[in-house]
Amino acid sequence: MKVDLLIQDVQVYNSFFKKFIKGNVAVLDGRFLYIGERDTESFEANEVLAGRGRYMIPGLVDIHLHIESTMVTPETFSYGLIQNGVTTIVPEPHEMANVFGIEGIKEMIHASRDCVVDMKYAIPSSVPATSMETTGGSVEIADMDELLRSEEIICLGEIMNYVDIIKDPACKTNQILEHIRKEYPKLVIEGHVPKLLDLDLHRVIYAGVDSDHTHQTLEGMEARIAAGMFLEIQEKSMTEEVMNYLINEDVSEHFCFITDDVMTDSLYNRGHLNHIVKKAIQMGMTPERAIYAGTFTPARRMQMTDRGAIAPGKIADFMLVSDLHELTIEQVYKNGKKAFDASEDYSQTVKPKQFPAHFYQSIQLSPLTEADFQVAADAPDNRYPCRVMLVQNGSTFTEDHRGIVEVRDGQLCWEESPYGLIAVIERYGKNGNRGYGLISGDTIKRGAVATSYSHDNHNLLVVGHNPHDMMIAANEVIRNQGGFYVVCDGKVIASLHLPVGGILTEEPLEKTAKEVEQLRRAMESLGYNHYNPIMSISTHSLPVSPALKLTDLGLIDVNAGKVVPLLLM
């Protein structure tokens, strides 16, 4: 029988038995035709690949991620993915949607069409994430209908505003859920439900949200599985307690591994979903079960029955691995054709200006002065209890801490306090809103950091310890139409230019990874003590991530779902 590709002598991963079986594999027209012990002389192959006893594993499938978190274009992202064995992803472009609305989603999909890696998009469901922030765009029910008609959409992306689901039956989020369940009953609905338990959790599931990818505890994970939720385990949930539960309990069908947010330097230096699978193996999970959670269960969750397994009729996405415990990838094939070989040069070609011209002119702000970082306080001269955003290493959650700050002559004397200042300034030219707060904990202790990459609204976020450095950092972001800038003693000590919507770069992966490394080191040199300082600071304006955050409308009590005052009088 004529076939396109014949792979001889491999240990083939069988997803249905969760074990490796020695054999040969034939590929025809981009799909697996035969897997078994039949003599290779039965086939006339255009290409024969010597397996040499290596492990043959399905291409990895990551069903929950945001390309914008890596701050590169889909094409550059695909370049980084394929060499790490990731052949299918489900990106949700809610960052670009927050900047440009439905146009941002369509342009991300358009930029993905010629990528090697299959990108099956999720519709951002929560743009804006709440009503307590200003964004450049929004995604309404009519926009979702248009996308479902015109684009290849695989699911409704994470429902983020879980507070409104519970507290406000008439809210936009509940209207979206009701519409999707009625008009598209087979569409998968993804969730974001940190810390919810008992009745609140069940009410969210009842509304149609049946998965969760947020930071898991043992108690929360058990409660979710018991209620029929599907769990998507990202690296920050891989504690010893959580992993022991996943290893020892019969829950293989109820979870998969995902990345969610991967920084550029991590993608370049450590890998992607393969890093998560490898870490699970190193934490005691058998390779067979770890691979299952990186291939089969994510594909089934998204109803992609044509992949996630090496079986007749499935898409021929696979990798050849020499060391199973280290997950050493030697070759990756996509649709039966070689896409990566570790022994060959694999260089990146970059396409400039992949987006419309106005995507490069998205920050509508005039230069700021030091006076923009003086905070007016409508209170008599005195010392007042106040809210302080407390940053904690190990999580992007922040605490609502209590402190003391002085008010003098109608001004908040924050420079004389033990705290830094955090400011969020509306950047889209819509209303000129500004929010201010105090910040402490595992954040910078001097200098300033400013960025337009601030989840999810992507307004101008500035954190600092003196107005001069804060002004310089903020104006660099404005002048360059987006990016990250770290300033100390009046000098820029690290920067990352993000000209596409203020959140993406079109530079190559290697160059961007080095700049991100320098940015991380610069923030650490100012005292930032966090496993991921870039992700930490960029989520200070995310009003669906507990517990105290800041938007252009002011401080947000996330659990209460409302704007709260800085001073407690």
Side-chain angles (χ1 to χ4, degrees):
M1 182 172 183
K2 291 185 177 181
V3 295
D4 298 319
L5 175 65
L6 183 64
I7 308 103
Q8 297 178 319
D9 184 25
V10 279
Q11 298 287 338
V12 184
Y13 180 72
N14 186 292
S15 302
F16 311 104
F17 290 140
K18 298 190 189 73
K19 68 179 183 180
F20 286 92
I21 301 172
K22 185 176 180 179
N24 304 308
V25 179
V27 175
L28 178 65
D29 295 332
R31 294 178 180 268
F32 296 115
L33 170 67
Y34 174 78
I35 302 97
E37 297 180 351
R38 179 175 286 274
D39 194 303
T40 56
E41 292 180 359
S42 302
F43 302 99
E44 181 182 332
N46 293 332
E47 179 186 353
V48 177
L49 177 61
R52 304 192 307 275
R54 290 177 290 178
Y55 299 94
M56 186 174 178
I57 298 170
L60 298 176
V61 180
D62 191 342
I63 62 171
H64 185 95
L65 60 81
H66 311 283
I67 296 173
E68 304 99 314
S69 295
T70 313
M71 299 182 285
V72 296
T73 62
E75 183 181 52
T76 297
F77 196 61
S78 175
Y79 165 84
L81 291 176
I82 199 69
Q83 55 196 301
N84 288 295
V86 182
T87 54
T88 300
I89 62 171
V90 179
E92 183 197 328
H94 70 226
E95 315 297 355
M96 194 63 87
N98 271 279
V99 181
F100 294 113
I102 189 174
E103 184 187 17
I105 300 170
K106 288 187 170 184
E107 289 298 332
M108 285 294 283
I109 294 173
H110 178 75
S112 305
R113 284 179 181 151
D114 295 328
C115 293
V116 175
V117 172
D118 287 337
M119 300 187 180
K120 311 285 188 180
Y121 273 80
I123 295 179
S125 64
S126 305
V127 179
T130 71
S131 59
M132 300 173 290
E133 58 195 314
T134 302
T135 59
S138 65
V139 177
E140 307 300 328
I141 290 175
D143 298 321
M144 296 178 183
D145 287 336
E146 181 181 339
L147 288 166
L148 284 161
R149 284 193 305 267
S150 63
E151 307 292 346
E152 187 178 2
I153 300 297
I154 202 165
C155 72
L156 182 67
E158 59 180 301
I159 296 289
M160 300 182 73
N161 197 354
Y162 57 91
V163 174
D164 274 5
I165 292 177
I166 297 166
K167 294 187 175 182
D168 184 3
C171 72
K172 176 183 173 181
T173 301
N174 278 324
Q175 291 174 27
I176 289 170
L177 286 168
E178 183 178 354
H179 179 76
I180 294 296
R181 291 170 68 187
K182 179 181 177 182
E183 300 297 330
Y184 312 96
K186 294 184 179 179
L187 191 69
V188 174
I189 300 175
E190 291 287 271
H192 171 113
V193 287
K195 297 189 176 183
L196 289 190
L197 293 170
D198 198 48
L199 180 58
D200 285 346
L201 175 65
H202 288 204
R203 289 178 68 181
V204 170
I205 298 171
Y206 183 83
V209 180
D210 63 350
S211 78
D212 184 31
H213 72 279
T214 59
H215 195 165
Q216 299 297 330
T217 63
L218 184 59
E219 180 188 22
M221 186 168 59
E222 259 192 319
R224 282 153 177 73
I225 293 174
M229 254 191 169
F230 186 82
L231 294 178
E232 297 164 4
I233 304 296
Q234 56 177 298
E235 185 170 13
K236 67 183 179 183
S237 290
M238 296 175 72
T239 62
E240 184 176 357
E241 183 181 52
V242 166
M243 290 304 297
N244 284 341
Y245 182 86
L246 297 177
I247 290 166
N248 295 322
E249 301 297 325
D250 184 18
V251 293
S252 292
E253 306 305 319
H254 305 294
F255 80 95
C256 72
F257 293 125
I258 54 110
T259 57
D260 196 8
D261 303 299
V262 174
M263 300 309 298
T264 325
D265 55 341
S266 180
L267 173 60
Y268 184 74
N269 294 317
R270 296 198 308 174
H272 197 257
L273 189 59
N274 57 317
H275 166 72
I276 305 291
V277 173
K278 175 182 172 181
K279 183 171 182 175
I281 295 169
Q282 293 174 341
M283 293 183 74
M285 185 174 285
T286 65
E288 290 82 0
R289 289 187 66 180
I291 292 166
Y292 192 76
T295 56
F296 192 83
T297 51
R300 292 305 174 272
R301 165 66 185 168
M302 287 296 158
Q303 302 172 359
M304 294 187 287
T305 57
D306 61 349
R307 67 196 68 207
I310 299 173
K314 308 298 183 188
I315 293 174
D317 295 349
F318 65 92
M319 54 181 157
L320 293 177
V321 169
S322 57
D323 187 321
L324 196 57
H325 287 268
E326 291 296 322
L327 215 64
T328 307
I329 300 170
E330 295 191 349
Q331 292 171 309
V332 180
Y333 278 69
K334 182 75 187 75
N335 298 321
K337 298 184 182 299
K338 186 167 65 174
F340 170 74
D341 192 314
S343 67
E344 299 173 2
D345 179 47
Y346 184 57
S347 57
Q348 181 186 359
T349 302
V350 178
K351 294 179 185 175
K353 301 296 180 182
Q354 299 174 45
F355 293 86
H358 65 280
F359 276 47
Y360 302 88
Q361 297 293 326
S362 65
I363 297 180
Q364 307 300 317
L365 278 173
S366 299
L368 303 178
T369 68
E370 291 186 26
D372 291 303
F373 300 101
Q374 302 294 338
V375 183
D378 186 15
D381 290 3
N382 208 336
R383 288 167 59 83
Y384 293 95
C386 61
R387 288 183 168 87
V388 180
M389 183 187 298
L390 190 69
V391 179
Q392 302 174 92
N393 192 358
S395 177
T396 53
F397 296 164
T398 56
E399 286 186 8
D400 186 351
H401 184 67
R402 293 293 177 268
I404 299 290
V405 68
E406 185 172 351
V407 173
R408 187 186 315 126
D409 298 328
Q411 296 288 318
L412 194 73
C413 300
W414 67 267
E415 288 183 80
E416 300 172 19
S417 77
Y419 316 118
L421 181 70
I422 178 171
V424 173
I425 300 171
E426 188 269 318
R427 63 169 258 202
Y428 299 103
K430 290 187 172 184
N431 51 41
N433 284 348
R434 298 182 178 192
Y436 296 96
L438 299 174
I439 191 166
S440 187
D442 294 325
T443 184
I444 59 171
K445 305 299 185 290
R446 59 188 182 279
V449 180
T451 184
S452 53
Y453 181 82
S454 53
H455 296 291
D456 280 336
N457 47 69
H458 299 294
N459 286 307
L460 176 61
L461 171 71
V462 192
V463 174
H465 284 268
N466 68 82
H468 185 63
D469 283 350
M470 295 179 77
M471 175 193 71
I472 292 172
N475 285 338
E476 285 296 305
V477 174
I478 295 168
R479 183 173 67 84
N480 289 287
Q481 281 295 308
F484 255 104
Y485 292 85
V486 182
V487 174
C488 188
D489 297 329
K491 296 180 180 179
V492 176
I493 61 173
S495 64
L496 175 65
H497 187 203
L498 301 172
V500 183
I503 59 176
L504 299 183
T505 177
E506 292 180 318
E507 295 295 332
L509 183 65
E510 182 177 5
K511 179 177 183 294
T512 304
K514 290 178 180 177
E515 290 178 349
V516 168
E517 286 178 4
Q518 292 167 359
L519 186 65
R520 187 192 303 269
R521 286 197 295 269
M523 292 173 70
E524 290 170 348
S525 75
L526 299 184
Y528 218 118
N529 177 32
H530 198 278
Y531 76 97
N532 190 342
I534 297 172
M535 184 57 63
S536 170
I537 200 169
S538 69
T539 54
H540 289 352
S541 63
L542 182 60
V544 293
S545 175
L548 184 68
K549 296 297 166 81
L550 180 74
T551 74
D552 62 303
L553 271 65
L555 287 168
I556 308 298
D557 181 332
V558 175
N559 294 328
K562 64 180 182 180
V563 179
V564 292
L566 171 59
L567 298 180
L568 299 167
M569 296 188 294

